[in-house]
Amino acid sequence: MDIKNNTANIVSVSRIFVAFAAIGLLFINTTTAYIWAVILTIIAFAMDGVDGYIARKYNQASKWGSVLDILGDRIVESSYWITFAVLGWLNILFPLICVTRAFTTDGIRSVALSQGMTAFGEHSMQSTKWGKFICASKFMRISYAVAKVSAFVLLIFAYIPGLNPVIANPVEAIAVVLAWIAIIFCVVRAIPVVAESGKLFNKD
């Protein structure tokens, strides 16, 4: 593999392992482990922006890169939701909604990809203005990312072993609110994908 011309893709894949390392630390009940989990979580999600920046700056954007980017997003996001539910920090509804949404949208997008379309970019499967805004606009993508990352980071921070309840309790409350906002964004951003999927099957 040509590493120089696949830097963005390497970053996309690497962030999965960074996230896994962070999640693994959550099962080590020490303050140090949790602090590192917070740091690695921030790094893992920052890498999601880095791979896109590299792809655009060095002309490494491709359909394969788009698939890897979405694949990384799904694995990382689902892993955190599932872990938080397993640890009892969030209701099981969160990972169930996230996984259901992922299978639904990615199944549709796989058909779009076979027809030369991608989830985002100039070959996006979204053809309506409202669909492009909800799925691909910077405002929606950044808002969703901020809510999700903030929820994940604050939730981990709230459960740092030995953290004073005076600090932990309000931080946890804020994290849960942000988690609900993030999961609502997750569902809303799937609506255009489903709503506009009919055109993919017209030939059938």
Side-chain angles (χ1 to χ4, degrees):
M1 180 180 70
D2 184 354
I3 295 178
K4 182 179 179 180
N5 293 320
N6 283 278
T7 307
N9 293 342
I10 292 172
V11 173
S12 295
V13 174
S14 298
R15 64 186 290 256
I16 297 173
F17 296 99
V18 174
F20 282 175
I23 289 170
L25 289 170
L26 297 180
F27 293 89
I28 302 174
N29 197 33
T30 66
T31 301
T32 301
Y34 271 57
I35 290 174
W36 272 107
V38 168
I39 294 171
L40 290 178
T41 296
I42 293 172
I43 292 173
F45 282 97
M47 290 172 73
D48 185 31
V50 171
D51 62 1
Y53 172 78
I54 292 173
R56 291 187 298 272
K57 184 174 178 62
Y58 297 101
N59 196 29
Q60 295 181 11
S62 64
K63 291 180 181 178
W64 173 234
S66 176
V67 170
L68 281 180
D69 183 49
I70 293 175
L71 180 67
D73 287 344
R74 296 293 179 267
I75 293 174
V76 171
E77 182 177 355
S78 298
S79 297
Y80 274 99
W81 288 125
I82 292 169
T83 300
F84 293 152
V86 168
L87 291 171
W89 298 356
L90 289 176
N91 191 287
I92 191 63
L93 281 174
F94 286 89
L96 287 178
I97 291 172
C98 175
V99 171
T100 300
R101 183 262 194 186
F103 276 111
T104 302
T105 56
D106 293 349
I108 293 171
R109 283 170 173 167
S110 67
V111 177
L113 186 65
S114 71
Q115 297 181 20
M117 291 175 273
T118 56
F120 310 109
E122 58 181 295
H123 301 294
S124 172
M125 65 168 285
Q126 308 304 147
S127 56
T128 63
K129 289 184 178 180
W130 71 274
K132 289 179 179 179
F133 174 76
I134 292 175
C135 288
S137 69
K138 285 186 177 181
F139 173 78
M140 290 296 288
R141 295 179 73 179
I142 291 175
S143 297
Y144 175 43
V146 169
K148 179 173 58 179
V149 176
S150 298
F152 292 176
V153 169
L154 290 179
L155 202 55
I156 296 171
F157 182 84
Y159 281 91
I160 291 178
L163 185 65
N164 191 322
V166 174
I167 298 174
N169 292 339
V171 170
E172 181 188 7
I174 294 171
V176 171
V177 170
L178 288 170
W180 277 109
I181 293 173
I183 210 69
I184 290 171
F185 263 113
C186 180
V187 173
V188 169
R189 294 184 71 239
I191 293 174
V193 178
V194 176
E196 296 186 40
S197 63
K199 64 188 176 186
L200 302 174
F201 307 97
N202 285 339
K203 293 181 182 180
D204 296 334

PDB file of all heavy atoms in Angstrom, residues 115 196-204:
ATOM      1  N   GLN A 115     -24.145   2.498  -7.244  1.00  0.00           N
ATOM      2  CA  GLN A 115     -24.619   3.285  -8.381  1.00  0.00           C
ATOM      3  C   GLN A 115     -23.793   4.559  -8.574  1.00  0.00           C
ATOM      4  O   GLN A 115     -24.207   5.486  -9.265  1.00  0.00           O
ATOM      5  CB  GLN A 115     -26.095   3.634  -8.180  1.00  0.00           C
ATOM      6  CG  GLN A 115     -27.002   2.405  -8.145  1.00  0.00           C
ATOM      7  CD  GLN A 115     -28.475   2.756  -7.974  1.00  0.00           C
ATOM      8  OE1 GLN A 115     -28.892   3.877  -8.246  1.00  0.00           O
ATOM      9  NE2 GLN A 115     -29.266   1.794  -7.518  1.00  0.00           N
ATOM     10  N   GLU A 196     -35.175   9.660   0.694  1.00  0.00           N
ATOM     11  CA  GLU A 196     -34.735   9.801  -0.691  1.00  0.00           C
ATOM     12  C   GLU A 196     -34.212   8.500  -1.293  1.00  0.00           C
ATOM     13  O   GLU A 196     -33.635   8.491  -2.376  1.00  0.00           O
ATOM     14  CB  GLU A 196     -33.646  10.868  -0.784  1.00  0.00           C
ATOM     15  CG  GLU A 196     -34.114  12.272  -0.415  1.00  0.00           C
ATOM     16  CD  GLU A 196     -33.060  13.326  -0.651  1.00  0.00           C
ATOM     17  OE1 GLU A 196     -32.358  13.246  -1.679  1.00  0.00           O
ATOM     18  OE2 GLU A 196     -32.915  14.228   0.200  1.00  0.00           O
ATOM     19  N   SER A 197     -34.422   7.406  -0.593  1.00  0.00           N
ATOM     20  CA  SER A 197     -33.865   6.132  -1.068  1.00  0.00           C
ATOM     21  C   SER A 197     -34.662   5.507  -2.202  1.00  0.00           C
ATOM     22  O   SER A 197     -34.155   4.635  -2.908  1.00  0.00           O
ATOM     23  CB  SER A 197     -33.787   5.134   0.095  1.00  0.00           C
ATOM     24  OG  SER A 197     -35.097   4.830   0.590  1.00  0.00           O
ATOM     25  N   GLY A 198     -35.909   5.966  -2.408  1.00  0.00           N
ATOM     26  CA  GLY A 198     -36.747   5.373  -3.446  1.00  0.00           C
ATOM     27  C   GLY A 198     -36.125   5.397  -4.823  1.00  0.00           C
ATOM     28  O   GLY A 198     -36.235   4.432  -5.588  1.00  0.00           O
ATOM     29  N   LYS A 199     -35.420   6.478  -5.142  1.00  0.00           N
ATOM     30  CA  LYS A 199     -34.815   6.627  -6.483  1.00  0.00           C
ATOM     31  C   LYS A 199     -33.767   5.557  -6.761  1.00  0.00           C
ATOM     32  O   LYS A 199     -33.488   5.244  -7.917  1.00  0.00           O
ATOM     33  CB  LYS A 199     -34.175   8.011  -6.601  1.00  0.00           C
ATOM     34  CG  LYS A 199     -33.011   8.226  -5.622  1.00  0.00           C
ATOM     35  CD  LYS A 199     -32.539   9.665  -5.625  1.00  0.00           C
ATOM     36  CE  LYS A 199     -31.448   9.857  -4.577  1.00  0.00           C
ATOM     37  NZ  LYS A 199     -31.047  11.281  -4.451  1.00  0.00           N
ATOM     38  N   LEU A 200     -33.194   4.997  -5.693  1.00  0.00           N
ATOM     39  CA  LEU A 200     -32.149   3.977  -5.871  1.00  0.00           C
ATOM     40  C   LEU A 200     -32.724   2.663  -6.364  1.00  0.00           C
ATOM     41  O   LEU A 200     -32.000   1.836  -6.913  1.00  0.00           O
ATOM     42  CB  LEU A 200     -31.408   3.752  -4.536  1.00  0.00           C
ATOM     43  CG  LEU A 200     -30.729   4.956  -3.900  1.00  0.00           C
ATOM     44  CD1 LEU A 200     -30.190   4.582  -2.526  1.00  0.00           C
ATOM     45  CD2 LEU A 200     -29.610   5.472  -4.791  1.00  0.00           C
ATOM     46  N   PHE A 201     -34.008   2.490  -6.132  1.00  0.00           N
ATOM     47  CA  PHE A 201     -34.645   1.221  -6.479  1.00  0.00           C
ATOM     48  C   PHE A 201     -35.626   1.336  -7.635  1.00  0.00           C
ATOM     49  O   PHE A 201     -36.351   0.390  -7.945  1.00  0.00           O
ATOM     50  CB  PHE A 201     -35.359   0.639  -5.250  1.00  0.00           C
ATOM     51  CG  PHE A 201     -34.461   0.520  -4.049  1.00  0.00           C
ATOM     52  CD1 PHE A 201     -34.459   1.505  -3.063  1.00  0.00           C
ATOM     53  CD2 PHE A 201     -33.613  -0.564  -3.899  1.00  0.00           C
ATOM     54  CE1 PHE A 201     -33.621   1.406  -1.956  1.00  0.00           C
ATOM     55  CE2 PHE A 201     -32.772  -0.667  -2.795  1.00  0.00           C
ATOM     56  CZ  PHE A 201     -32.773   0.314  -1.816  1.00  0.00           C
ATOM     57  N   ASN A 202     -35.671   2.501  -8.273  1.00  0.00           N
ATOM     58  CA  ASN A 202     -36.607   2.711  -9.371  1.00  0.00           C
ATOM     59  C   ASN A 202     -36.387   1.739 -10.513  1.00  0.00           C
ATOM     60  O   ASN A 202     -37.330   1.245 -11.133  1.00  0.00           O
ATOM     61  CB  ASN A 202     -36.503   4.145  -9.916  1.00  0.00           C
ATOM     62  CG  ASN A 202     -37.158   5.152  -8.969  1.00  0.00           C
ATOM     63  OD1 ASN A 202     -37.987   4.791  -8.150  1.00  0.00           O
ATOM     64  ND2 ASN A 202     -36.772   6.422  -9.095  1.00  0.00           N
ATOM     65  N   LYS A 203     -35.109   1.445 -10.803  1.00  0.00           N
ATOM     66  CA  LYS A 203     -34.789   0.537 -11.895  1.00  0.00           C
ATOM     67  C   LYS A 203     -35.306  -0.868 -11.620  1.00  0.00           C
ATOM     68  O   LYS A 203     -35.624  -1.618 -12.523  1.00  0.00           O
ATOM     69  CB  LYS A 203     -33.279   0.512 -12.137  1.00  0.00           C
ATOM     70  CG  LYS A 203     -32.725   1.832 -12.666  1.00  0.00           C
ATOM     71  CD  LYS A 203     -31.236   1.745 -12.898  1.00  0.00           C
ATOM     72  CE  LYS A 203     -30.680   3.075 -13.388  1.00  0.00           C
ATOM     73  NZ  LYS A 203     -29.211   3.010 -13.611  1.00  0.00           N
ATOM     74  N   ASP A 204     -35.357  -1.215 -10.308  1.00  0.00           N
ATOM     75  CA  ASP A 204     -35.832  -2.554  -9.949  1.00  0.00           C
ATOM     76  C   ASP A 204     -37.339  -2.652 -10.132  1.00  0.00           C
ATOM     77  O   ASP A 204     -37.858  -3.745 -10.270  1.00  0.00           O
ATOM     78  CB  ASP A 204     -35.468  -2.870  -8.495  1.00  0.00           C
ATOM     79  CG  ASP A 204     -33.965  -2.922  -8.288  1.00  0.00           C
ATOM     80  OD1 ASP A 204     -33.270  -3.217  -9.279  1.00  0.00           O
ATOM     81  OD2 ASP A 204     -33.500  -2.686  -7.153  1.00  0.00           O
TER      82      ASP A 204
END
